[in-house]
Amino acid sequence: QVQLAESGGGLVQPGGSLTLSCAASARTSSRFYMAWFRQAPGKEREFVAAINWSSRATYYTESVKGRFTISRDNAKNTVNLQMNSLRPEDTGIYSCAADSTIILSSIRDARQYDYWGQGTQVTVSS
């Protein structure tokens, strides 16, 4: 069982920055992936970014490439999502997810993740 705890959401103006953090209670295998998803009002949950804990390989949805950076802090068992140049369309509830058996081809599919955090609100507005 893995427990996830997110922090760092809030209100920011367009063009601003925020950093989200997700602390995991455990990591169970070399295939351990952690990811961020977001859900805007009235829309389906969408993949934002993921990282393989062992290889540090990172993956992003096209709309955030060059603006968001996912990274991991091994000592703190934490994954961070640095979000720069934020846009109003980045608004939503950001949720951290983790799984130890997921395969690379499925990391963008929310249904494949067994563990989820409670979510944190990110609002980009002037």
Side-chain angles (χ1 to χ4, degrees), residues 3 12 19 25-26 31 44 67 69 76 82 93 96 98 104 106-107 112-113:
Q3 294 180 328
V12 64
T19 299
S25 61
R31 284 165 53 187
E44 292 187 356
R67 300 188 298 123
T69 302
K76 296 181 180 179
Q82 174 67 42
I93 297 175
C96 177
L104 181 57
S106 298
I107 62 170
Q112 303 302 319
Y113 288 84

Side-chain angles (χ1 to χ4, degrees), residues 76-98:
K76 296 181 180 179
N77 242 23
T78 297
V79 165
N80 298 314
L81 184 68
Q82 174 67 42
M83 305 185 294
N84 299 325
S85 302
L86 282 162
R87 305 166 180 169
E89 54 264 39
D90 294 318
T91 294
I93 297 175
Y94 283 68
S95 299
C96 177

Side-chain angles (χ1 to χ4, degrees), residues 21-94:
S21 294
C22 177
S25 61
R27 291 177 281 114
T28 60
S29 78
S30 63
R31 284 165 53 187
F32 193 76
Y33 280 89
M34 291 186 71
W36 288 95
F37 288 79
R38 66 186 179 190
Q39 187 167 20
K43 294 188 176 181
E44 292 187 356
R45 181 181 288 174
E46 67 168 341
F47 171 80
V48 177
I51 186 167
N52 177 281
W53 194 272
S54 294
S55 69
R56 300 192 191 188
T58 57
Y59 310 87
Y60 299 92
T61 193
E62 195 63 36
S63 63
V64 309
K65 285 182 180 178
R67 300 188 298 123
F68 291 12
T69 302
I70 188 170
S71 62
R72 60 113 163 126
D73 184 329
N74 194 49
K76 296 181 180 179
N77 242 23
T78 297
V79 165
N80 298 314
L81 184 68
Q82 174 67 42
M83 305 185 294
N84 299 325
S85 302
L86 282 162
R87 305 166 180 169
E89 54 264 39
D90 294 318
T91 294
I93 297 175
Y94 283 68

